[in-house]
């Protein structure tokens, strides 16, 4: 049966000389793997250039129950990006977010809240004219809400440590090293309370940004089963 669904391209791999397998996070079915035939042909309805990381697409797909590799009949760009492909900072952020999403999302079932959060975040990034240096930090914090390990509680002088192992703010320093000290714990709380418009005003320094990103990646490694080493954040440290 044919279905039409919006989707977010995550990863694409060669399958044969003329076809590709692409993993797309779809609005209707969650994460799906699709076979795109004749992807390198100009006449194909599933051309390879449409399958770039985090492209927002609309797909016409076949759906067969209990089949791991579905087929895709047609794909088009649902919203073409204007600034992301031209801006090295934004494109570096997209590659990092793509790696995080690809390694964190495994559910083959729809999640309207998660899909809309990712889609709307990408649209905000594309339209953003000011600083985007802390965009990825806010994204990581808010994404954890949909993945089931959003931080519990808030920073205060009474609860100024963040226990990454248990995902809670604490009043006493945890005995293990999986924690945020008060300075970074305060920054985490600010990201929890903020939004994409307010985060540039936080004044996060380059050193804080680097340290907080490393801690957030570690937080994901603790709470996403089987999460392999994230590598693309190294590029962000060079461009942001």
């Amino acid at each position: 049966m044919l279905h039409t669904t919006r989707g977010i391209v995550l990863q694409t791999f060669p399958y044969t000389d003329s076809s590709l397998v692409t993993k797309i996070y779809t609005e209707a079915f969650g994460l799906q793997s699709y076979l795109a035939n004749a992807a390198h042909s100009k006449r194909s309805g599933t051309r390879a250039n449409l399958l770039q990381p985090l492209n927002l697409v609309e797909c016409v797909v076949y759906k067969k129950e209990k089949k791991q590799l579905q087929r895709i009949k047609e794909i088009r760009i649902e919203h073409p990006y204007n600034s992301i492909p031209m801006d090295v900072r934004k494109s570096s952020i997209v590659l990092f977010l793509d790696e995080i999403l690809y390694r964190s999302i495994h559910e083959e079932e729809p999640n309207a809240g998660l899909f809309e959060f990712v889609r709307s975040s990408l649209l905000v990034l594309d339209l953003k004219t000011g600083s985007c240096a802390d965009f990825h930090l806010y994204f990581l914090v808010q994404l954890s809400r949909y993945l089931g390990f959003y931080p519990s509680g808030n920073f205060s002088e009474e609860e100024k440590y963040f226990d990454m192992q248990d995902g809670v703010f604490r009043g006493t320093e945890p005995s293990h090293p999986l924690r945020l000290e008060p300075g970074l714990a305060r920054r985490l709380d600010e990201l929890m309370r903020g939004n994409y418009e307010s985060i540039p005003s936080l004044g996060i320094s380059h050193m804080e940004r680097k340290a907080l990103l490393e801690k957030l990646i570690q937080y994901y490694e603790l709470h996403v089963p089987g999460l392999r080493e994230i590598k693309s954040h190294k590029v962000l440290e060079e461009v942001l």
Side-chain angles (χ1 to χ4, degrees):
M1 181 179 291
L2 280 172
H3 301 267
T4 299
T5 180
R6 294 189 299 177
I8 302 165
V9 179
L10 296 185
Q11 293 281 314
T12 302
F13 311 94
Y15 188 70
T16 67
D17 289 344
S18 61
S19 62
L20 301 170
V21 169
T22 181
K23 286 187 174 289
I24 300 178
Y25 187 63
T26 69
E27 185 174 25
F29 307 113
L31 182 65
Q32 296 289 307
S33 296
Y34 292 109
L35 177 63
N37 288 313
H40 299 292
S41 169
K42 293 182 179 180
R43 296 184 179 181
S44 172
T46 56
R47 296 189 308 280
N49 66 315
L50 303 178
L51 301 173
Q52 299 301 310
L54 296 195
N55 268 1
L56 302 177
V57 296
E58 185 174 84
C59 314
V60 179
V61 299
Y62 296 92
K63 178 63 175 173
K64 291 187 178 180
E65 296 301 325
K66 299 181 180 180
K67 191 171 183 180
Q68 289 188 330
L69 184 60
Q70 305 289 339
R71 284 199 303 128
I72 186 165
K73 180 183 180 182
E74 233 174 88
I75 189 169
R76 70 174 186 86
I77 297 297
E78 186 246 329
H79 179 92
Y81 294 133
N82 294 310
S83 68
I84 288 175
M86 313 298 178
D87 188 319
V88 66
R89 296 168 302 172
K90 290 184 178 183
S91 58
S92 297
I93 289 171
V94 162
L95 288 176
F96 170 70
L97 300 186
D98 179 60
E99 185 178 11
I100 288 288
L101 291 168
Y102 174 65
R103 299 195 185 285
S104 300
I105 297 176
H106 308 293
E107 293 78 12
E108 296 182 4
E109 57 185 38
N111 183 329
L114 174 56
F115 180 86
E116 188 53 38
F117 165 72
V118 176
R119 181 180 178 277
S120 61
S121 294
L122 292 168
L123 293 176
V124 168
L125 179 62
D126 189 50
L127 294 172
K128 199 166 184 57
T129 55
S131 172
C132 58
D134 300 316
F135 185 96
H136 57 298
L137 299 179
Y138 178 80
F139 183 94
L140 287 178
V141 172
Q142 299 304 320
L143 177 63
S144 70
R145 183 191 304 274
Y146 300 95
L147 298 179
F149 52 93
Y150 188 70
S152 178
N154 292 105
F155 177 89
S156 69
E157 289 305 316
E158 291 73 34
E159 296 186 321
K160 57 185 179 182
Y161 295 94
F162 181 68
D163 184 332
M164 293 197 298
Q165 188 167 275
D166 294 333
V168 298
F169 286 88
R170 297 196 183 281
T172 56
E173 185 174 4
S175 58
H176 55 76
L178 302 173
R179 61 180 183 267
L180 296 185
E181 301 294 335
L184 289 183
R186 181 190 295 274
R187 289 303 195 186
L188 174 62
D189 183 72
E190 291 171 344
L191 290 168
M192 292 168 60
R193 296 171 182 268
N195 54 53
Y196 283 127
E197 294 303 315
S198 67
I199 53 175
S201 65
L202 297 180
I204 297 176
S205 70
H206 177 76
M207 293 303 295
E208 286 177 318
R209 184 177 301 119
K210 179 180 178 180
L212 191 52
L213 177 57
E214 289 175 351
K215 287 293 188 180
L216 285 172
I217 290 173
Q218 189 178 25
Y219 186 50
Y220 269 67
E221 290 171 345
L222 285 168
H223 295 282
V224 177
L227 184 70
R228 290 183 289 173
E229 181 185 3
I230 301 297
K231 299 179 180 179
S232 55
H233 72 286
K234 297 296 183 181
V235 178
L236 290 182
E237 295 175 4
E238 298 295 326
V239 301
L240 296 179

